[in-house]
Amino acid sequence: MTENTANTGLAHIGVVGLAVMGSNLARNFASRGHTVALYNRTYEKTAVLMHEHGADGNFIPSKSIEEFVASLERPRRAIIMVQAGPATDAVINQLAAAMEEGDIIIDGGNALYTDTVRREREISAKGLHFVGAGISGGEEGALNGPAIMPGGTKESYESLGPLLESISAVVDGTPCCTHIGPDGAGHFVKMVHNGIEYADMQVIGEAYHLLRYAAGMEPAEIADVFKEWNTGDLDSYLVEITSEVLSQVDAETGKPLIDVIVDAAGQKGTGRWTVKAALDLGIATTGIGEAVFARALSGARTQRAATIGNLPSGEVTTLEAQGVDKTQFVEDVRRALYASKLVAYAQGFDEIKAGSEEHEWDVDPRDLATIWRGGCIIRAKFLNRIKDAYDTNPEVESLLLDPYFKEEIEGLMDSWRRVVVLATQLGLPIPVFASSLSYYDSLRAERLPAALIQGQRDFFGAHTYERTDKPGKFHTQWSADRTEIEA
Ligand code: ATR
């Protein structure tokens, strides 16, 4: 129980919206000794929660928003866990109408950060605080310890932070929750976190696909490979659950479950938002982009029904025909996965840096590498390395330039290239492996074909170009005598 209010009988925090995430979060608060106010639009969910878990802690259920607000200690802190979009706006407005100056409204859903920026502006004009907080970890995380990324004012974090830190995951004694920055900063970094998650899942998927369809391994065998990988550089929640999924046998058919799951991936939108924001910011998040497109393509079921088996492959080969040793191939795939993952994370952090600069949020990337180590879906040992990289040089132009990662990539390079070439020769899709390698080669290239693009742009649209040998902007008079003029 928080010290200052131990005996007021009022709740320390309230949760509005008691679907799975909301009720698990409420239970998590209660399990840490906090008194939790509860409200859901329809009372049924509140009643179910009270019936099933009411005895697990101190809850104050309410049937109206006014009653709910009155049950909170001041400054009131209410976390909204309802559907993103209009439902969130509706609840914010109801709460704002019933609250008083200094109270804090927290949106714990996956809101689009631009909505959070707008809401913060509107709510702060009423003298209230509005905190957009990204919460990651799924249902299990919400109940036992998520990673939490709160935005909003520093002042609101002083009151709210200790409560959120008390329910978050903890790694090496550090809570996986910290103040990210003003207004939409928390939801922005949560969005990019989800984008990185898309890329991470896709590279794991590509590795699985190669082991299965290039090396001809069975799912159970591949499950063991992932289990083994989980003891090294790739140690992460996603690799761990991959092994679990691949070893699952379908009770109905006796087949590996993976073989009876339809290969059309769903998405709720945060990956797409990450790519849209990256496009607006001019940041090349190719890994996340390819991962989002890969899901879209997998889900284009009508198109695939027409194309599967109906498009020529050209001459494709096999590992045996290429004389590739299977053990070496498995290790090559692991390295290609790791290298592509490094690129995707580097790109995600680039986007966060660009977003932070654009919105003047002053987000510290070290904070993210720290709090993402636990609770969230992309939690991984490897995040410690990212933190170290930013500790070494907070201004590093790309994580790929960090001495540790540079050395790692050097050791992965040959395998990565071999896998991309082989997969292409075998006719197997590897959108993130391949695009990450192209991105990497682009970053280190002395010359890019962009010079030609500038020439073309100048030719058809007089868009001008810069010269390598002197400052200024120039135009070649293409349709006249082709002499160059300074623009
Ligand atoms: P989950 O994915 O965890 O199931 P969700 O679909 O994101 O949750 O959100 C569902 C919650 O939003 C429910 O608590 C729902 O309230 P009801 O139980 O009354 O349906 C709440 N919700 C949806 N629209 C709402 C609105 N317009 N006003 C208030 N709450 C709303």
Side-chain angles (χ1 to χ4, degrees), residues 376-436:
C376 64
I377 304 294
I378 64 170
R379 62 184 180 260
K381 216 164 88 179
F382 150 91
L383 283 153
N384 276 317
R385 299 292 186 187
I386 295 184
K387 180 175 179 299
D388 292 346
Y390 283 116
D391 278 340
T392 309
N393 179 5
E395 303 302 328
V396 68
E397 286 293 342
S398 163
L399 274 175
L400 300 169
L401 282 172
D402 170 70
Y404 175 82
F405 287 127
K406 225 165 131 176
E407 204 182 312
E408 286 288 279
I409 293 237
E410 194 171 4
L412 306 171
M413 213 62 245
D414 294 350
S415 295
W416 194 11
R417 291 197 191 284
R418 269 200 299 273
V419 167
V420 170
V421 170
L422 258 175
T424 307
Q425 289 174 325
L426 266 68
L428 294 171
I430 40 153
V432 178
F433 281 11
S435 65
S436 301

Side-chain angles (χ1 to χ4, degrees), residues 464-465 473-477 481-487:
T464 76
Y465 49 84
K473 294 208 186 289
F474 300 90
H475 168 60
T476 291
Q477 301 176 93
D481 62 357
R482 303 204 166 185
T483 54
E484 185 182 74
I485 52 169
E486 190 154 4

Side-chain angles (χ1 to χ4, degrees), residues 16-22 39-46 81-84 86-88 90-91 94 109 139 268:
V16 181
L18 301 172
V20 183
M21 287 293 285
Y39 174 74
N40 194 69
R41 176 180 58 174
T42 44
Y43 190 71
E44 197 190 334
K45 284 195 175 68
T46 315
M81 296 299 290
V82 305
Q83 267 160 6
T88 301
V91 175
Q94 289 161 19
E139 296 171 22
K268 279 193 166 175

Side-chain angles (χ1 to χ4, degrees), residues 237-272:
Y237 172 72
L238 283 171
V239 168
E240 182 192 328
I241 65 164
T242 299
S243 176
E244 298 286 334
V245 172
L246 290 175
S247 57
Q248 183 72 15
V249 174
D250 175 45
E252 207 172 309
T253 58
K255 292 182 184 168
L257 179 67
I258 185 77
D259 287 349
V260 296
I261 297 180
V262 172
D263 61 347
Q267 48 183 321
K268 279 193 166 175
T270 44
R272 193 164 52 227

